[in-house]
Amino acid sequence: MKKHDTPMLDNLEEGPWPSFISGIKKLRDDHPDDRVNAVNNDLLGQLEHSYETRKGYWKGGTVSVYGYGGGIIPRFSEVGKQFPASKEFHTLRVQPPAGNYYTTDMLRKLADSWEKFGSGLVTFHGQTGNIMFIGATTENTQHFFDEINDYGFDLGGAGPCVRTGMSCVGAGRCEMSNINEHKAHRLLVNNFTDDIHRPALPYKFKFKVSGCPNDCMNSIERADMSVIGTWRDDIKVDQEEFKKYVAKKGRKHVIDNIVTRCPTNAISLNDDDTIVIDNQNCVKCMHCLNVVPKALHPGDDKGATVLIGGKRTLKIGDLMGTVIVPFMKLESEEDWEKLVEIAENTIDFWAENALEHERCGEMIERIGLINYLEGIGIDAEPNMVAHPRESSYVRLDDWDDEAVKWYEKADSKKDTA
Amino acid sequence: MEKETKKVKKEMRTPIESGCPDGFQYMHPTMRKNFGRWKYHEHPKPGVLKHVSKSDEEIWTVRAGTQRILDVYTLRKLCDIGDEFADGYVRFTIRSNIEYMVKDATKVDPLISALEKEGFIVGGTKNSVAMIAHTQGWLHCDIPGTDASGVVKSMMDELIDEFKNNEMPNRVHMTTSCCQINCGGQGDIAINIQHTKPPKINHDLVSNVCERPSVVARCPVAAIRPAIVNGKPSLEVDEKKCICCGACYPPCPPMQINDPEHSKLAIWVGGNHSNARTKPTFQKLVAAGIPNNPPRWPEATAIVKRILKVYKDDARDWERINDWIDRIGWPRFFELTELPFTKYHIDNWRGGRKTLNSSAYIRF
């Protein structure tokens, strides 16, 4: 095998940060399988060609495994004649365990399977949340999938379909956790396996679950349906720990970094260095808990907020997800069923009403939140808005009926309380 | 022939649609035991977290940065370290760092030494510059304007001390993206491709390769229309209307948007996914026209370092980049970073009016 010269890529082996180029070269030079050597040699050759010409040379196509329509990112080289060993270089998107937990045994098993059939290159994880097994021929995608599917791994989503979900480290390690993040993640995603494996929706639909409003999964920005853990009773305060913190850091630090940073001015410091929180006006932003995790904790009445419609620019511009359920418990089986039902109703409504290639948030932007809410049977409420309408261009045909509904709902809440 | 096809089909294995696996089976026993029962955490030093449960059990986490695109040798090396120095349990963060979890505090330092000896970088916790989130680029993507992996390697080489230490006012999440789809996501600092010229169309191929009505529908500014060019059905672009976003390129590869010279890098700041202190924010454009210059992209790195330096010097504790700029104002940001403010910084997309200063609030 003649090794391609790669002067530009060689440059990326310099410097203290681990180099992906060195890893690809190791597969080219040291792997016992000639096929793996050749694939990585030609991959390096094509990548060097890209660096020299500042252009990419991969094209998509249609590849999937038997019985599925998606889950694989097909890549065929446009310069396959020059680099034949890597001319078919597809990625398999594989769903990781919820929370991205692994044993080293399982990672080794995956590595063993992958070097048998693929390039030996893998990423934990892609930006949608999949394990990315990068580089297999059309034929070998099937063999690799068959092998890992037998021991519990399944493909993720690619194309216009429900995509692989993401959940944070969650209750496994984090004291800020308010829900069983992994249960929410798996219930939602695994309810839609058909919609993951057989792309037939208007466009992609993503679920992400964060255990608290720090939103480590970026769900408000990146998920069509975002589930965020929160609580509705008081922040738990360990005053002794708080006083210790004040003693250690000083009052000025506490005022500058905690009291004045509260977005709703809900915190004050007592003369004895205890803290007072106006819990009714706390918006659960997480800042004070982040600063003093030893003294301040989420309350006991935990649950989740659900937001819909987050996405990046294309086509109409960036959209944050917006609240459709301010708070719901996630404890009983009925609670969990209700969460799945919201997802099902949303996806059904969106599949029915969206234009081609229109994300859920874009559809809502086009038809208005109310049409979507009425479509899935959720009543409007003030937590859904930053502020009420500013424009006077509106017809109010059913105003009286709607006002009556609001009072009736308030009364029924009083009755049950 | 027909028989043969049938035979092949019969042998095909039907997939088990198991979906997302349960992570619980791979979780460290101490974490399983204390699931949902954690009390607080401490941050003893960069790259190390100590979580304490309500029953006073501890789990220690060591976080390390890697090259993200792992070869099986590197993956096995990470596993070896996990077996020898940790308890054989790992997880990956959203920014592709590996985390080892151990019950015994005395295992932490040997684990760190083993990781560092093999060239992995321990850090990335709390108020550090975290690992740059990125995607595939030229290595694997079908529409990339640059190679995210190379940009990230180049930048992390220079930001490594900020990854290993906790000297920033708050955490800094950076991202890179090789096109405007922005797979890297929102970041405190985002380095993204920004095309500056309309697509170049290969009219011989359009009618065979592209579903023309869906390409027309894909354009955010309705600049594409069907046309007959050289006697063949094709598409044409109103170049005055075109915003060079590249949205037409994925559904229609003959509309080549990537250009070795005119696909530039742009830098955006202030994206923040957390709800802490303020509602989540989108990133804002601060610098553009930066050359897409492999293999080291030095011009982009220089600007990133300049922004980080000013932020580090000027921001207060706990201020993310968006919090800091909210306090000091955009004029001061451009003054401190010595970046030019141009007419292109003023948003003219729909809804852009709400980004203007409709007040008498001016800092002098």
Side-chain angles (χ1 to χ4, degrees):
Chain A
M1 183 184 77
K2 191 191 169 300
K3 290 179 191 173
H4 298 289
D5 284 336
T6 55
M8 290 182 95
L9 300 182
D10 296 350
N11 186 291
L12 287 174
E13 291 192 276
E14 308 289 322
W17 194 263
S19 169
F20 66 108
I21 297 298
S22 303
I24 304 175
K25 282 192 179 173
K26 201 161 165 54
L27 289 167
R28 178 194 67 183
D29 298 338
D30 298 347
H31 200 276
D33 186 344
D34 295 344
R35 181 191 60 81
V36 173
N37 306 143
V39 167
N40 283 282
N41 185 41
D42 277 359
L43 175 70
L44 285 165
Q46 176 168 333
L47 189 58
E48 177 75 16
H49 183 53
S50 278
Y51 269 60
E52 281 164 5
T53 55
R54 302 183 187 190
K55 277 176 89 167
Y57 295 96
W58 300 107
K59 281 292 151 271
T62 314
V63 176
S64 192
V65 296
Y66 178 70
Y68 286 178
I72 290 169
I73 314 287
R75 288 293 175 255
F76 297 93
S77 176
E78 284 182 321
V79 285
K81 277 194 182 135
Q82 279 163 269
F83 309 105
S86 58
K87 70 177 180 192
E88 289 177 13
F89 199 73
H90 315 313
T91 281
L92 289 101
R93 286 186 171 173
V94 173
Q95 295 193 51
N100 296 340
Y101 292 97
Y102 299 89
T103 54
T104 49
D105 287 347
M106 184 43 77
L107 288 177
R108 284 178 202 282
K109 208 167 169 180
L110 288 167
D112 292 348
S113 299
W114 180 231
E115 72 182 348
K116 232 190 288 176
F117 300 111
S119 69
L121 294 171
V122 57
T123 288
F124 295 90
H125 301 91
Q127 291 294 324
T128 302
N130 297 284
I131 317 171
M132 308 291 278
F133 290 95
I134 310 164
T137 59
T138 307
E139 196 197 330
N140 279 353
T141 52
Q142 182 72 52
H143 300 320
F144 176 69
F145 170 69
D146 286 345
E147 189 161 314
I148 64 166
N149 189 221
D150 271 340
Y151 58 78
F153 285 85
D154 196 3
L155 293 187
C161 62
V162 171
R163 296 294 186 88
T164 296
M166 287 172 92
S167 52
C168 60
V169 65
R173 196 185 65 195
C174 186
E175 71 272 21
M176 310 295 186
S177 164
N178 290 284
I179 50 173
N180 185 336
E181 299 81 2
H182 312 134
K183 183 169 180 177
H185 170 176
R186 294 186 67 234
L187 264 184
L188 288 169
V189 165
N190 290 350
N191 186 61
F192 294 97
T193 43
D194 186 39
D195 285 310
I196 289 185
H197 296 135
R198 293 162 198 92
L201 293 172
Y203 197 15
K204 59 182 100 170
F205 193 97
K206 299 185 178 185
F207 294 106
K208 295 189 197 293
V209 182
S210 289
C212 81
N214 279 322
D215 194 7
C216 292
M217 292 298 100
N218 305 356
S219 68
I220 296 181
E221 284 171 349
R222 300 192 80 161
D224 298 275
M225 180 164 165
S226 149
V227 179
I228 298 189
T230 188
W231 68 97
R232 58 182 172 182
D233 55 346
D234 294 355
I235 291 180
K236 289 180 147 180
V237 184
D238 182 334
Q239 294 289 8
E240 286 312 308
E241 280 296 340
F242 194 82
K243 282 206 278 196
K244 273 190 221 166
Y245 184 83
V246 181
K248 191 175 147 204
K249 292 283 197 172
R251 285 195 186 127
K252 179 178 161 53
H253 167 96
V254 170
I255 291 163
D256 287 352
N257 288 285
I258 301 171
V259 178
T260 59
R261 298 293 178 83
C262 175
T264 53
N265 295 321
I267 297 179
S268 60
L269 182 67
N270 283 329
D271 290 339
D272 66 355
D273 292 342
T274 55
I275 182 175
V276 194
I277 300 173
D278 171 6
N279 278 287
Q280 200 174 11
N281 287 310
C282 166
V283 288
K284 320 290 181 272
C285 90
M286 298 304 292
H287 173 74
C288 61
L289 285 83
N290 294 341
V291 179
V292 204
K294 241 178 159 170
L296 304 173
H297 300 106
D300 291 320
D301 189 6
K302 296 168 193 282
T305 301
V306 180
L307 300 92
I308 295 283
K311 58 168 284 295
R312 188 49 170 129
T313 322
L314 292 174
K315 164 182 172 181
I316 68 164
D318 308 70
L319 302 177
M320 295 278 185
T322 69
V323 172
I324 62 154
V325 179
F327 185 87
M328 65 186 292
K329 296 295 281 182
L330 285 177
E331 282 167 6
S332 68
E333 282 317 301
E334 292 80 59
D335 297 338
W336 290 107
E337 276 165 25
K338 200 175 143 201
L339 181 72
V340 172
E341 201 182 291
I342 292 167
E344 281 176 347
N345 291 344
T346 295
I347 288 178
D348 285 350
F349 182 84
W350 168 66
E352 194 92 336
N353 291 285
L355 306 173
E356 190 205 333
H357 215 257
E358 188 175 55
R359 292 282 286 272
C360 189
E362 291 175 307
M363 172 199 71
I364 293 171
E365 175 75 8
R366 178 170 54 82
I367 68 174
L369 182 70
I370 283 304
N371 283 320
Y372 157 70
L373 290 175
E374 286 178 350
I376 64 161
I378 288 184
D379 291 336
E381 74 124 291
N383 275 310
M384 294 173 180
V385 297
H387 55 72
R389 164 185 298 280
E390 289 175 336
S391 165
S392 61
Y393 290 165
V394 56
R395 279 183 60 155
L396 304 169
D397 295 343
D398 296 324
W399 173 273
D400 291 342
D401 296 343
E402 289 296 317
V404 168
K405 261 207 283 190
W406 169 262
Y407 286 121
E408 280 172 358
K409 214 174 140 190
D411 287 345
S412 78
K413 255 190 209 164
K414 264 184 223 156
D415 291 346
T416 53
Chain B
M1 185 71 191
E2 209 190 317
K3 259 187 183 172
E4 260 179 39
T5 324
K6 268 190 183 163
K7 201 181 152 201
V8 170
K9 273 205 174 152
K10 211 179 166 189
E11 283 169 8
M12 293 301 277
R13 176 187 165 281
T14 309
I16 305 161
E17 301 205 34
S18 47
C20 172
D22 190 350
F24 211 67
Q25 59 189 315
Y26 305 119
M27 209 180 273
H28 192 289
T30 305
M31 294 164 78
R32 246 179 282 165
K33 198 176 149 198
N34 293 287
F35 191 86
R37 299 188 40 78
W38 294 98
K39 193 161 69 181
Y40 67 92
H41 77 277
E42 287 174 349
H43 185 238
K45 57 181 171 182
V48 180
L49 299 166
K50 174 192 170 188
H51 286 84
V52 180
S53 79
K54 287 178 181 163
S55 52
D56 285 328
E57 283 193 84
E58 295 174 1
I59 194 89
W60 292 72
T61 302
V62 175
R63 183 179 294 173
T66 72
Q67 56 270 57
R68 183 175 183 271
I69 292 169
L70 303 173
D71 57 285
V72 287
Y73 289 102
T74 304
L75 181 59
R76 289 193 185 112
K77 197 185 284 173
L78 290 164
C79 290
D80 290 344
I81 294 171
D83 291 340
E84 195 178 346
F85 298 95
D87 302 339
Y89 294 91
V90 301
R91 67 177 295 274
F92 292 89
T93 70
I94 191 173
R95 316 188 78 76
S96 299
N97 299 301
I98 192 164
E99 286 184 340
Y100 295 89
M101 277 77 55
V102 296
K103 192 177 155 57
D104 182 358
T106 61
K107 288 186 171 175
V108 169
D109 285 334
L111 173 58
I112 292 173
S113 309
L115 283 164
E116 288 180 340
K117 198 176 138 239
E118 294 293 349
F120 302 109
I121 318 298
V122 174
T125 48
K126 298 279 163 178
N127 50 325
S128 61
V129 173
M131 170 60 173
I132 304 172
H134 68 104
T135 50
Q136 309 289 32
W138 288 329
L139 185 80
H140 197 259
C141 184
D142 59 336
I143 53 170
T146 190
D147 190 45
S149 313
V151 174
V152 169
K153 158 70 178 152
S154 307
M155 288 195 179
M156 289 312 288
D157 274 345
E158 300 212 23
L159 301 175
I160 190 164
D161 287 339
E162 300 297 355
F163 181 87
K164 287 159 75 173
N165 291 295
N166 295 127
E167 292 171 357
M168 287 289 158
N170 199 343
R171 64 198 69 215
V172 180
H173 287 168
M174 289 174 54
T175 70
T176 65
S177 298
C178 309
C179 77
Q180 280 179 237
I181 292 174
N182 192 214
C183 292
Q186 297 282 326
D188 290 288
I189 303 179
I191 303 99
N192 295 353
I193 278 283
Q194 188 84 20
H195 303 294
T196 62
K197 290 279 188 287
K200 284 187 187 134
I201 307 174
N202 183 339
H203 293 288
D204 293 335
L205 298 179
V206 170
S207 62
N208 285 334
V209 180
C210 317
E211 196 187 316
R212 293 189 302 155
S214 36
V215 183
V216 169
R218 204 66 70 86
C219 179
V221 292
I224 303 174
R225 55 190 171 233
I228 303 290
V229 183
N230 304 328
K232 284 183 180 169
S234 186
L235 293 164
E236 64 182 12
V237 172
D238 181 341
E239 297 205 347
K240 273 193 189 144
K241 268 175 135 181
C242 176
I243 50 171
C244 314
C245 69
C248 51
Y249 180 51
C252 188
M255 299 182 75
Q256 177 62 259
I257 189 71
N258 290 308
D259 183 284
E261 190 191 341
H262 300 297
S263 293
K264 303 283 193 184
L265 295 180
I267 293 178
W268 304 68
V269 307
N272 181 357
H273 58 77
S274 172
N275 289 267
R277 298 170 302 282
T278 59
K279 291 180 181 178
T281 52
F282 286 126
Q283 60 209 19
K284 281 90 181 163
L285 177 74
V286 292
I290 305 160
N292 181 21
N293 196 2
R296 282 280 166 183
W297 294 271
E299 300 85 354
T301 306
I303 296 174
V304 167
K305 284 173 81 175
R306 206 194 305 170
I307 294 168
L308 282 172
K309 186 181 181 307
V310 175
Y311 164 66
K312 190 175 173 179
D313 291 346
D314 197 62
R316 293 178 184 162
D317 287 354
W318 291 100
E319 280 179 342
R320 292 275 289 262
I321 287 186
N322 64 305
D323 298 318
W324 164 58
I325 299 171
D326 275 354
R327 179 171 59 79
I328 68 167
W330 286 100
R332 183 92 177 120
F333 172 86
F334 283 97
E335 188 190 318
L336 287 172
T337 54
E338 296 178 10
L339 293 168
F341 183 83
T342 70
K343 64 182 180 182
Y344 298 107
H345 287 95
I346 296 177
D347 201 338
N348 56 1
W349 191 246
R350 70 183 78 169
R353 201 169 195 288
K354 73 179 192 309
T355 69
L356 306 178
N357 181 6
S358 54
S359 75
Y361 288 13
I362 312 281
R363 293 169 179 82
F364 295 105

